[in-house]
Amino acid sequence: MDVLTFLVLIIGLVYSLYLYSRSGKQASQSGIVRIPPGPKPLPLIGNIFDLTAKELWVKATALAQTYGPVYQLSILHPSLSISQPLVFLSSPEVCFDLLDKKGGMYSDKPKLVMAGELCGCDDMVAFTGYGAQSRRQRKLIGLAFSKERIPAYQGLIERETAGFLTGLVSAHTSSASTASSSSQPLPSRFLSYIPLIRRYAGQLTLSVIYGYTVPTSYTQNVHDKFLDMAEDCVDILSNKIASGGGIWLVDIFPWLKKAPKSLESIPLFSFLPKSRAWKAKMVEFVEKPFEWVKAEIERGTQKPSFCSTLLENSDAVVPSAVTNGHMKRKSDISPDLLSSWASASSAVAKPVTANAKEYAQFEFDLKWTANSMYSASGDTTVTTVMHYFLAILQDMDTGGEVVRKARLELDLVTGLADDSPPAIKPRLPSLSDRYIDVDVPDAKGGTRKVKKPRFPYVEAVMSEVWRWGVVVPLNLPHRLTEDDVYTPPPSPSNPNPSPMFLRKGSLIFGNIWSILRSKELFGDDVDEFKPERYLPSPHEEAVLYGPHDEDEYEMIRKERKKRDPRSYVFGFGRRQCPGQNLVESSVWLLTATLLSAVDVRRPCVEGEDAKESVIIEKVDFNNSVFRTPDPFGVDIRPRSEKALEVIMLSGEGEEAESL
Ligand code: HEM
């Protein structure tokens, strides 16, 4: 350590000591209710040693077993006014009580100096503080991704899924001879699914949000300006800015950001040049696709999309777009949706009466919202599909029962089994296959239409992928905006819980991992991948879809909701994931398509002795925000000649679209 670094640390330490002595007195004078329990903080540094960058959710869950569903860790000692309390919520009841029911004070986001101010992510939806801006942004997302809007994307989702599948199958065969590199012992074909999932998630969002179609098909490995840019920035966001949990020294000591340039060669201040370089890339990522849509509108060559439709309705500023006949262009987005965006946008943007300032605000919100949806879809989708592959690899190790049971359902519709009756024309599943409408008698002697899943086991596989994998195990932290006092509900281990004082500014982590690994909710075999746990019993089935007593119906529905991983995996309250309706459809189609058309096995490679051996890799989770597995190999092949034909045929449609 050089002299200057040493000096800065000493000054920081002395300053902390000063605050420690002052704030300790204040705390002791005001103590009526106690702060939440937790491991004893060390003098000055607090619970820093209780925090780990790797799989913090596992440690956080173990701590909940000792300290209960609400406990606190602290960066720096809690008696210091500059300390940062981290509150972990580990049961559904406490998450809903605080993050949902008290959403008005639990929906803010931490002000991260490094990620937000220095790297320029302040205006991304996931980073925006709770208030007018976050509400405007979420309203815009609602226009694109509310439940009612999703059926309009059916064409896009099916096209991208078919393309992805063709890419998977082709990558496996075309790169079969690719040699492995020294750093990666597996031949690349076993890892080619990872860039393909990224591409799938990126393309789907690019077309919905910007109307941009990547000009090459999934079987062509050609770089694309926007996909590459997004890949770069998502990597910066999740692997660089968020490395170590996303908290940098400058987040705790914001004055470090004012360091003069001359100090930047010192490792302590190397975050400054890094942040400038990352910010430049992030800004480009926000601006470029948005500028592209605007240029397309000016040329009259735009495809209908979330951005173009909203922009075109702001006729005061983009006059050239108003008279273009582009709305008649062929689109995968339904005309109904386009016109509803158009009418809804006028409510949001008030373009005709808007003055320049309001319009600038609208455009600013729109471009950051668009980018946020793009950024948020990449890692989450990749992680979900990787969890699916991990689960199926395990299933194959133990005889492949999950795949067998799922295919029993799917083959009846897709005709992809070798012995499927010739009357069923072989095809991939589509989104319209998912539900059948049944008439359920209601209390007034009439009937009401209810959507009943056609493939209950496939639904159960999807639910289990969400539960077993847990994409964002500690949720994204919320920030408490006012002091609060909370008494957790009584439990068998603590029948008389005491009220707790939660300090304004605390970061609140909804521990989704601990909920989805709760034996109380899901049974003793929580670590196993077991879709059967969601299948309704014959009695539940009869009540849900037949004549029933309303009270019993409600009770069963509530109980099933409590055990539905979707009630937790997308977060809580007013910051809940706004992309969940889209992934509910897109991930279902991916799951159904992969189950019905491809076999998934562990890689098998030929050794120097010319003998083949199956590779069983230990999978690690090193990302501190998403539970993304480190890359692992998968051998993905069409299930049969019949399946290969169907995949290639569906891919041709996709290729024709992208040309
Ligand atoms: C694939 C599965 C996905 C999972 C499991 C997931 C999960 C989550 C979670 C846990 C949060 C934090 C919620 C909270 O703070 O309480 C979140 C936030 C968010 N997600 Fe997702 N997400 C997924 C996909 C997507 C997609 C596809 C999009 C966009 C198209 C998206 C857009 C967002 C945005 C914009 C936020 C920030 C919301 C805010 O802070 O107000 N997500 N997501």
Side-chain angles (χ1 to χ4, degrees), residues 109 126 138 145 373 376-377 380 475 478 569 571-572 575 577-578 583:
K109 288 287 163 155
R138 289 189 61 106
F145 289 157
M373 290 194 271
S377 71
T380 47
N475 202 18
H478 293 203
V569 282
F572 305 92
R575 303 310 289 250
C577 174
V583 293

Side-chain angles (χ1 to χ4, degrees), residues 89 92 94-109 130 138 475-476 478 510 512 561 566-578 580:
L89 310 178
V94 299
C95 284
F96 289 129
D97 276 355
L98 298 181
L99 298 173
D100 200 9
K101 292 184 196 152
K102 291 188 169 186
M105 55 206 273
Y106 280 88
S107 298
D108 200 21
K109 288 287 163 155
Y130 184 59
R138 289 189 61 106
N475 202 18
L476 300 180
H478 293 203
I512 300 174
K561 189 157 194 272
R566 292 167 186 78
S567 305
Y568 316 105
V569 282
F570 298 111
F572 305 92
R574 301 178 193 188
R575 303 310 289 250
Q576 228 182 31
C577 174
Q580 60 186 292

Side-chain angles (χ1 to χ4, degrees), residues 13 252 404 536 589 657:
L13 207 66
I252 301 165
R404 194 187 64 78
L589 192 63
E657 284 283 347

